[in-house]
Amino acid sequence: MNNNPPPEHPLLRGERVLLRRWRAGDREPFAAINADPVAMRHFPAPLSTADSDALADRIQSHFDQHGFGPWALDIPGVAEFAGFVGLLRVSFEAHFTPAVEIGWRLAPALWGQGYAGEAAACALRYGFLALGLPEIVSFTVPANQRSLAVMQRLGMHYDIREDFLHPRLPPEHPLRLHRLYRIGREEWLERQAPR
Ligand SMILES: CC(C)(COP(=O)(O)OP(=O)(O)OC[C@H]1O[C@@H](n2cnc3c(N)ncnc32)[C@H](O)[C@@H]1OP(=O)(O)O)[C@@H](O)C(=O)NCCC(=O)NCCS
């Protein structure tokens, strides 16, 4: 983990939030989120501290390899580490890959205040304007209404014909079916134009 991370890009700042590179001290609050059954309700299981640290290592490698990733979410005056929001290359094969995904995981105490949405809007903006991505996708299980609502508020769109079975989960796993949302760069730019 990087103790001297580079300064944040101006596009990664919102009114209340800041997306920044991870620090060593983020691992402890990250493990607490990953151990919380509420935060992990739509995942196969909560994570042990060792598995949470291994995930933090994979996030670090993603930044090292691609220069972007799931950033640490800082909400100044509220929480130095509220969870993550960011962009990552989809690491499995599916009908929509290769693709860059937007994803989020916040401490449940901070839900319902618009922080995830505000941070996700910054990550999308960075993806389209700084990285020049042509499209960004997102996916989750149909029961994860909070996550689906974030995708919808960002202007991402859904087509039932793109539902897919997550290849990392075994056949018959109850969480296998996923909904895919997409937004293209042109479409996103159009939404930013004053009406
Ligand atoms: C998915 C997740 C990030 C959504 O968090 P969230 O707080 O519901 O999402 P937002 O930041 O967009 O907040 C929206 C809510 O804040 C409210 N809100 C309050 N103040 C607001 C403000 N200033 N601006 C915008 N919304 C505001 C909205 O009305 C909305 O309320 P509602 O939940 O009653 O409809 C969160 O549930 C989570 O971390 N889940 C666990 C991890 C997970 O499942 N990740 C996805 C896996 S694919």
Side-chain angles (χ1 to χ4, degrees), residues 20-71:
R20 58 163 177 79
R21 290 291 299 266
W22 291 59
R23 303 177 189 137
D26 298 332
R27 285 183 176 234
E28 201 180 316
F30 189 44
I33 296 172
N34 288 327
D36 184 330
V38 175
M40 299 302 281
R41 181 170 158 216
H42 300 293
F43 293 86
L47 301 184
S48 65
T49 301
D51 286 346
S52 176
D53 286 348
L55 175 56
D57 287 341
R58 291 198 298 279
I59 289 173
Q60 179 65 33
S61 306
H62 191 287
F63 275 103
D64 293 343
Q65 200 180 340
H66 302 291
F68 65 90
W71 289 277

Side-chain angles (χ1 to χ4, degrees), residues 7-8 31 33 43 92 116 144 150 161:
E8 297 76 25
I33 296 172
F43 293 86
F92 54 83
N144 196 345
V150 179
R161 291 170 297 185

Side-chain angles (χ1 to χ4, degrees), residues 133-153:
L133 297 171
E135 184 183 63
I136 295 175
V137 303
S138 195
F139 46 83
T140 190
V141 295
N144 196 345
Q145 289 299 325
R146 278 191 174 274
S147 193
L148 294 171
V150 179
M151 296 172 201
Q152 287 156 10
R153 283 192 291 266

